[in-house]
Amino acid sequence: MEQANREGKEIKIYGMSCQHCVNHVTKILEKFPSVEQVQVSLADSKATFTWEPSQVNLEDVQKEIEEGGYSLEPLAVELEPENPDDLEQIKPGNSARDVEQKESEETKGESSIIDPKLQFRITGMTCANCALTIEKGLRNLPGVKSAAVNFASEKLTVEADPKVFKDEDLLAKIKDLGYSAQSADEGKQQFKVSGMTCANCALAIEKKLKGNSGVYSVAVNLASETVTVEFDSSAVTLQEIFDQVRDAGYTPIENPDENQDDRTALRQRNWLFFSAILSLPIMPLMFLPMSRPIMYSMLILATIVQFTAGWTFYRGAYHALKNRSANMDVLVALGITAAYGYSLMTTIHMFIPAVFFEGPNFFDTSALLITFVRFGKYLEAKAKGRAGQALKKLLELQADKAHLWVDGVVKEVSASDLKIGDITLVKSGERIPLDGEIIEGQASIDESMLTGESIPIDKSVGDQVIGATINRSGSIKVRTTKTGKDTVLSGIIRMVEDAQGVKPPIQRLADVISNYFVPTVVGLSLLTFVIWYVIFQSTFVFAFTAAIAVLVIACPCALGLATPTAIMVGSGVGLNRGILFKTAAVLEGIAKLQAIGFDKTGTLTKGTPEVTDIVAYGDFTEKDILRIAAAGENPSIHPLAQAVVAKSKLEELKIENVENYREEAGYGVTCSYQGKTLLIGNFKLMDLQGVDIGESEQDFRRLAESGRTTSFIALDGKVIGLIALADVIKESTIEAIKRLHNLGLKTFMITGDNKKVANVVGEQVGIDEVIAEILPQDKISIIKKYQDQGYKVAMVGDGINDAPALAQADIGIAIGSGTDVAKETGDVVLVRNDLLDVERAIRLGRKTLGKIKQNLFWALIYNVIGIPIAAGVLYPITGELLPPEWAGLAMAFSSVSVVTSSILLRRFDRQLEG
């Protein structure tokens, strides 16, 4: 009987984009009683199963599937084009534009709520839809205000009420959705490491740490001497990671201070002075007749230099070889050991003729070689410090002290001791200690450290202020709303450090070369010796000198520094302009863009309506129409009504009171103005009230067809004027689109607005393609369409509403972030609400990538040319070999030249001003 009631069922399911989605839908369906033999097809967007209809309600199935992030209806719903009457409605309340604007306003409202932001690392996602599934699944959790998942970086950002929200509930929910998560703070660390000398050192640390179970990723930045590691804290601890770094022969610095780089340069300088003082006397001694006192003096001086200033190279070589790798220390150690060892044997032979052999000594070569390499390391440390200067300057901006206001008494405290809710007094000329809200007074705030904009911004009660910005005039009281790592400045610093701590794809080339570099150089050194000594039958000393020169002229350091130093300087230049790159890969990726998409509302346009046209009839002037319209609209809270009032206030017009105010959705406003009936609305309102629109109809249709939201203004039964509003384009939009076209990029706009309005905006700004009447979830498919055509695509949006599209794009650009920098989902965050920064970011990316390629070229060409010269290819022409000590100096300067080349990128900052 039971079997007789079972039926086969097929339902369409839209929104699936990967096998993980298939598994998720299967799991949802199998939860229902009597549902069996579930088969979900990704290709056909459908599910088939057997069930008993009496036990399961199809509406419940639909609800569960929709909560999982999918739909039983096609997602790409095409909205019907609006007719002119729909365009005429001043307050429709349900148009695509209003919905988009309403969503934007709601989101902005939410972002101002001061709740802790938590970050988690998500594993198991396979497509952008997985990110949407997690977001949707978390929204119903108690205490969760918002949840945003960045599919590209596998990061979840949650804004929640700490009184209600529990981490355990969130982790359990994510697990139930079919993914796994852990705290991002817990599983990601960045720390300094000392003792690295070249690219192979960085690779040795990476190789060592990646061998640990539980370590997801490791990136070592040679230029900034930092290690960024992501790991499963339940499988491996940070202390165990530190132990692994020590075992590899390097020293992790657990609590670095801001002067660490300066102390490194100072230490290198001191070793340079020490080795130079002992090495330089050896040179004149080489030209004196060799007597016992002179030989003893040279032996003692060279030995001290060899095993003090030169000991670092032996220690580095030992650890490198122990870990089955080879680095610059191996080459230098081989070179100085060969020179010193040969000299030691010939010196011993001079005193004990029966031992070893007769020959010249190279004490000056080994000692000067150590001195010159130390000199190069000192210059390199100084240059690397300058490369990271932008971030260092930002760290220096943090306020040390604050004036705490308690019951009318002001006392000076450390800014780090402030808590949320504390009130501080900030006088003219002082830095605002931490992020907060003005509760008393007004001031002009210099936010140039955040936006790059030098003109101060006037702020008063209720406005948000950012820690480290400067109060240029006025005195204000500020209630602290964010502390520690939640502040805007901390978010920017963390973002820049992350960008500098991750390797871009182009670095892989240098890593591959570095893996084979040292063994190849050692082989070339031996080959050089064999060719000169065996084939050309030159003296042993001649062949030996050439072999040592080959060892010490080769430079893997320049290869290791080529990319990270350019990334450090490039990201620093962006930081100064309010352009923040979340990873180094983004700096490279943005340079390769071919198409760029824009959200309309709030991105190309200002996002808020403004009065654009006023038409007056009869004896009335435009100011009369504006004053009367403002009086009628003043009681309304609708954004369009408030735009009319704002325009009136801007014109300094007096706003009069009205009586009998009534607002009718879909029609407009009726009220009594100076004893006369005032109507503000569309065709339907005029028709309902029996008003003859006469000559105004033609003007009305002209304005409506140009994308304006237009209203009749009728007083005492007669149309006296028209007022039109629109979401106007930003001042910089047209110029920005023009510049992007000049860079060779294709542009397109994606909007939920109606086609007529969208096309008007598209024509005004000169955009290549307009895609209108698109629901937010369908923006992903538009991005995919361009990617399927072979384009590298960027998407520009507000970073919150457009999160899925930003995640799907090759590069997501969040614009106008302001104080929400730390929570943005874009790969690039533009702090200022200026579209020209999109073009500047792309130009900066291209310039940085060009500098990386230039650095890699010179690093490679130096070795390609330098090694043959050291081997003696020019000897038949010049009659001279390159002395090993000068080869060592050339090696040192090759690293310095690459770092200096990167520093020159700072001059590009001036070219971004236009």
Side-chain angles (χ1 to χ4, degrees), residues 99 108 138 220 352 383 443 457 597 660 673:
V99 170
K108 286 176 184 173
L138 295 180
V220 181
I352 311 172
I457 300 169
N660 305 319
Y673 173 79

Side-chain angles (χ1 to χ4, degrees), residues 233-349:
S233 55
S234 63
V236 61
T237 67
L238 184 60
Q239 202 55 51
E240 288 172 338
I241 289 172
F242 284 163
D243 291 341
Q244 290 290 308
V245 172
R246 291 189 189 98
D247 189 54
Y250 307 94
T251 307
I253 302 170
E254 299 187 35
N255 298 300
D257 59 44
E258 58 190 37
N259 297 317
Q260 184 69 38
D261 290 337
D262 294 335
R263 284 210 299 273
T264 300
L266 187 64
R267 190 165 57 249
Q268 291 288 2
R269 187 200 67 183
N270 293 341
W271 274 116
L272 169 63
F273 285 165
F274 176 80
S275 56
I277 289 169
L278 295 176
S279 300
L280 293 177
I282 299 176
M283 291 185 69
L285 294 176
M286 293 292 295
F287 297 98
L288 298 175
M290 287 296 141
S291 62
R292 283 177 178 264
I294 290 176
M295 289 301 296
Y296 279 135
S297 300
M298 292 172 61
L299 176 61
I300 291 169
L301 291 172
T303 301
I304 293 172
V305 174
Q306 187 83 9
F307 297 106
T308 54
W311 185 248
T312 183
F313 305 117
Y314 286 112
R315 186 174 60 243
Y318 164 73
H319 285 292
L321 294 173
K322 187 184 81 168
N323 289 289
R324 297 180 182 178
S325 66
N327 58 12
M328 185 206 77
D329 291 329
V330 173
L331 295 179
V332 175
L334 281 172
I336 62 176
T337 301
Y340 177 83
Y342 181 85
S343 304
L344 182 63
M345 287 188 283
T346 57
T347 302
I348 292 173
H349 175 78

Side-chain angles (χ1 to χ4, degrees), residues 124-424:
M125 294 190 295
T126 55
C127 69
N129 210 71
C130 298
L132 294 174
T133 301
I134 295 171
E135 287 179 359
K136 194 162 187 177
L138 295 180
R139 282 175 193 152
N140 297 325
L141 275 183
V144 173
K145 301 283 186 182
S146 66
V149 178
N150 187 324
F151 170 62
S153 62
E154 296 186 323
K155 293 291 192 313
L156 162 66
T157 302
V158 177
E159 197 168 2
D161 181 352
K163 296 176 183 176
V164 182
F165 177 79
K166 292 181 181 178
D167 283 13
E168 308 85 67
D169 295 341
L170 179 137
L171 296 174
K173 181 65 176 177
I174 292 173
K175 187 176 181 181
D176 184 57
L177 291 170
Y179 309 91
S180 58
Q182 70 171 43
S183 170
D185 292 335
E186 184 183 5
K188 181 174 181 178
Q189 294 290 336
Q190 188 176 78
F191 54 90
K192 285 266 190 182
V193 169
S194 66
M196 293 191 292
T197 56
C198 70
N200 290 72
C201 298
L203 293 175
I205 294 174
E206 288 183 6
K207 183 179 176 183
K208 187 77 174 177
L209 294 182
K210 284 177 180 175
N212 287 287
S213 59
V215 173
Y216 298 123
S217 67
V218 183
V220 181
N221 187 320
L222 174 62
S224 61
E225 296 184 324
T226 57
V227 176
T228 304
V229 57
E230 292 190 58
F231 59 96
D232 181 352
S233 55
S234 63
V236 61
T237 67
L238 184 60
Q239 202 55 51
E240 288 172 338
I241 289 172
F242 284 163
D243 291 341
Q244 290 290 308
V245 172
R246 291 189 189 98
D247 189 54
Y250 307 94
T251 307
I253 302 170
E254 299 187 35
N255 298 300
D257 59 44
E258 58 190 37
N259 297 317
Q260 184 69 38
D261 290 337
D262 294 335
R263 284 210 299 273
T264 300
L266 187 64
R267 190 165 57 249
Q268 291 288 2
R269 187 200 67 183
N270 293 341
W271 274 116
L272 169 63
F273 285 165
F274 176 80
S275 56
I277 289 169
L278 295 176
S279 300
L280 293 177
I282 299 176
M283 291 185 69
L285 294 176
M286 293 292 295
F287 297 98
L288 298 175
M290 287 296 141
S291 62
R292 283 177 178 264
I294 290 176
M295 289 301 296
Y296 279 135
S297 300
M298 292 172 61
L299 176 61
I300 291 169
L301 291 172
T303 301
I304 293 172
V305 174
Q306 187 83 9
F307 297 106
T308 54
W311 185 248
T312 183
F313 305 117
Y314 286 112
R315 186 174 60 243
Y318 164 73
H319 285 292
L321 294 173
K322 187 184 81 168
N323 289 289
R324 297 180 182 178
S325 66
N327 58 12
M328 185 206 77
D329 291 329
V330 173
L331 295 179
V332 175
L334 281 172
I336 62 176
T337 301
Y340 177 83
Y342 181 85
S343 304
L344 182 63
M345 287 188 283
T346 57
T347 302
I348 292 173
H349 175 78
M350 180 179 289
F351 300 125
I352 311 172
V355 180
F356 298 122
F357 45 84
E358 184 180 352
N361 71 63
F362 293 93
F363 284 131
D364 61 330
T365 297
S366 64
L368 285 174
L369 183 53
I370 291 169
T371 302
F372 285 156
V373 174
R374 281 287 187 183
F375 179 51
K377 286 296 167 189
Y378 166 64
L379 293 179
E380 188 181 303
K382 290 285 286 182
K384 286 196 292 189
R386 287 174 61 199
Q389 213 166 38
L391 187 56
K392 193 180 292 185
K393 283 181 179 177
L394 196 63
L395 287 164
E396 292 169 355
L397 290 176
Q398 298 175 99
D400 296 325
K401 302 291 182 183
H403 295 119
L404 182 64
W405 176 280
V406 182
D407 299 328
V409 179
V410 178
K411 59 179 181 178
E412 190 175 274
V413 298
S414 172
S416 59
D417 291 337
L418 291 176
K419 300 185 292 292
I420 291 176
D422 283 348
I423 296 172
T424 56

Side-chain angles (χ1 to χ4, degrees), residues 477-493:
K477 287 180 185 175
V478 177
R479 179 188 290 113
T480 303
T481 56
K482 293 179 184 177
T483 61
K485 65 182 181 181
D486 293 327
T487 64
V488 171
L489 185 62
S490 295
I492 293 173
I493 291 169

Side-chain angles (χ1 to χ4, degrees), residues 776-793:
Q777 63 265 35
D778 295 331
K779 290 181 180 181
I780 291 177
S781 61
I782 304 298
I783 301 291
K784 280 183 178 177
K785 183 189 80 173
Y786 277 96
Q787 290 171 329
D788 291 342
Q789 294 172 12
Y791 286 102
K792 291 287 184 185
V793 183

